[in-house]
Tab-separated table of all heavy atoms in Angstrom:
chain	number	residue	atom	x	y	z
A	194	ASP	N	-12.796	27.392	-8.235
A	194	ASP	CA	-13.986	27.560	-9.018
A	194	ASP	C	-13.644	28.057	-10.405
A	194	ASP	O	-14.196	27.622	-11.439
A	194	ASP	CB	-14.963	28.497	-8.424
A	194	ASP	CG	-15.626	27.872	-7.148
A	194	ASP	OD1	-15.398	26.735	-6.808
A	194	ASP	OD2	-16.416	28.563	-6.417
A	195	ALA	N	-12.695	29.045	-10.524
A	195	ALA	CA	-12.357	29.605	-11.775
A	195	ALA	C	-11.774	28.548	-12.743
A	195	ALA	O	-12.051	28.523	-13.925
A	195	ALA	CB	-11.356	30.763	-11.623
A	196	PHE	N	-10.964	27.692	-12.229
A	196	PHE	CA	-10.322	26.671	-12.937
A	196	PHE	C	-11.366	25.730	-13.527
A	196	PHE	O	-11.420	25.316	-14.714
A	196	PHE	CB	-9.243	25.884	-12.127
A	196	PHE	CG	-8.815	24.627	-12.799
A	196	PHE	CD1	-7.917	24.682	-13.841
A	196	PHE	CD2	-9.174	23.408	-12.397
A	196	PHE	CE1	-7.511	23.504	-14.486
A	196	PHE	CE2	-8.723	22.208	-12.897
A	196	PHE	CZ	-7.821	22.241	-14.012
A	197	GLN	N	-12.302	25.275	-12.676
A	197	GLN	CA	-13.325	24.423	-13.053
A	197	GLN	C	-14.180	25.003	-14.197
A	197	GLN	O	-14.515	24.298	-15.112
A	197	GLN	CB	-14.294	24.097	-11.911
A	197	GLN	CG	-13.580	23.312	-10.739
A	197	GLN	CD	-14.511	23.062	-9.629
A	197	GLN	OE1	-15.668	22.736	-9.834
A	197	GLN	NE2	-13.990	23.266	-8.405
A	198	ARG	N	-14.427	26.265	-14.077
A	198	ARG	CA	-15.243	26.950	-15.170
A	198	ARG	C	-14.473	27.015	-16.479
A	198	ARG	O	-14.989	26.900	-17.574
A	198	ARG	CB	-15.648	28.271	-14.733
A	198	ARG	CG	-16.679	28.257	-13.553
A	198	ARG	CD	-17.099	29.717	-13.175
A	198	ARG	NE	-17.866	29.647	-11.908
A	198	ARG	CZ	-17.600	30.349	-10.811
A	198	ARG	NH1	-16.416	31.065	-10.779
A	198	ARG	NH2	-18.324	30.225	-9.675
A	199	GLU	N	-13.104	27.200	-16.372
A	199	GLU	CA	-12.229	27.164	-17.521
A	199	GLU	C	-12.169	25.936	-18.247
A	199	GLU	O	-12.194	25.823	-19.453
A	199	GLU	CB	-10.837	27.736	-17.140
A	199	GLU	CG	-10.799	29.150	-16.811
A	199	GLU	CD	-9.398	29.576	-16.210
A	199	GLU	OE1	-8.819	28.752	-15.563
A	199	GLU	OE2	-8.973	30.735	-16.399
A	200	VAL	N	-12.221	24.786	-17.483
A	200	VAL	CA	-12.207	23.502	-18.045
A	200	VAL	C	-13.519	23.189	-18.807
A	200	VAL	O	-13.563	22.777	-19.871
A	200	VAL	CB	-11.932	22.377	-16.976
A	200	VAL	CG1	-12.194	20.993	-17.596
A	200	VAL	CG2	-10.552	22.516	-16.393
A	201	ARG	N	-14.596	23.632	-18.141
A	201	ARG	CA	-15.911	23.480	-18.758
A	201	ARG	C	-16.038	24.317	-20.077
A	201	ARG	O	-16.491	23.808	-21.104
A	201	ARG	CB	-16.996	23.988	-17.796
A	201	ARG	CG	-18.436	23.944	-18.308
A	201	ARG	CD	-18.982	22.555	-18.483
A	201	ARG	NE	-18.725	21.982	-19.817
A	201	ARG	CZ	-19.032	20.721	-20.118
A	201	ARG	NH1	-19.621	19.967	-19.349
A	201	ARG	NH2	-18.709	20.288	-21.351
A	202	ALA	N	-15.466	25.524	-20.088
A	202	ALA	CA	-15.518	26.371	-21.262
A	202	ALA	C	-14.695	25.817	-22.382
A	202	ALA	O	-15.010	25.813	-23.592
A	202	ALA	CB	-15.019	27.780	-20.873
A	203	LEU	N	-13.506	25.215	-22.002
A	203	LEU	CA	-12.673	24.626	-23.038
A	203	LEU	C	-13.302	23.433	-23.634
A	203	LEU	O	-13.248	23.165	-24.875
A	203	LEU	CB	-11.266	24.238	-22.407
A	203	LEU	CG	-10.275	23.526	-23.327
A	203	LEU	CD1	-9.973	24.449	-24.497
A	203	LEU	CD2	-9.014	23.162	-22.521
A	204	CYS	N	-13.953	22.573	-22.768
A	204	CYS	CA	-14.565	21.400	-23.255
A	204	CYS	C	-15.753	21.768	-24.197
A	204	CYS	O	-15.909	21.106	-25.264
A	204	CYS	CB	-15.058	20.460	-22.196
A	204	CYS	SG	-13.761	19.661	-21.211
A	205	ASP	N	-16.431	22.756	-23.901
A	205	ASP	CA	-17.583	23.280	-24.857
A	205	ASP	C	-16.985	23.771	-26.074
A	205	ASP	O	-17.546	23.489	-27.167
A	205	ASP	CB	-18.340	24.324	-24.079
A	205	ASP	CG	-19.187	23.809	-22.950
A	205	ASP	OD1	-19.406	22.567	-22.929
A	205	ASP	OD2	-19.611	24.609	-22.073
Side-chain angles (χ1 to χ4, degrees):
D194 291 354
F196 170 72
Q197 296 178 42
R198 294 182 187 120
E199 288 172 328
V200 172
R201 177 70 273 175
L203 176 61
C204 288
D205 289 339

